[in-house]
Amino acid sequence: MPTDKNLTKAKIDWVKVTARVEEITGKGYDPQYIRDCAKGRRRNISLQPVLTDLLAGLSLT
């Protein structure tokens, strides 16, 4: 039986996030790279503000 915690989780579609980032920046990226940057595993100073705006309010766990 699902708990209330499971009802509030959303799965992020990293392919769609990557497509939006590419529209904004005009550069091509790999979805894995975008996910790693968003989760803090990699750093990209130019992508950080874009990802912060796109993913505001979402849990990236």
Side-chain angles (χ1 to χ4, degrees):
M1 176 137 215
T3 64
D4 289 338
K5 231 186 232 184
N6 292 342
L7 296 175
T8 60
K9 287 186 181 178
K11 184 173 179 177
I12 298 172
D13 186 343
W14 292 107
V15 173
K16 290 183 180 178
V17 171
T18 301
R20 185 67 182 122
V21 169
E22 290 173 350
E23 287 177 13
I24 293 169
T25 63
K27 296 181 181 180
Y29 293 99
D30 181 59
Q32 177 70 39
Y33 180 74
I34 295 296
R35 183 175 69 189
D36 288 347
C37 288
K39 290 187 174 191
R41 293 182 196 138
R42 291 182 158 191
R43 289 189 51 184
N44 185 317
I45 294 171
S46 62
L47 286 179
Q48 196 59 41
V50 175
L51 291 171
T52 301
D53 288 343
L54 285 176
L55 302 172
L58 297 178
S59 173
L60 300 178
T61 58

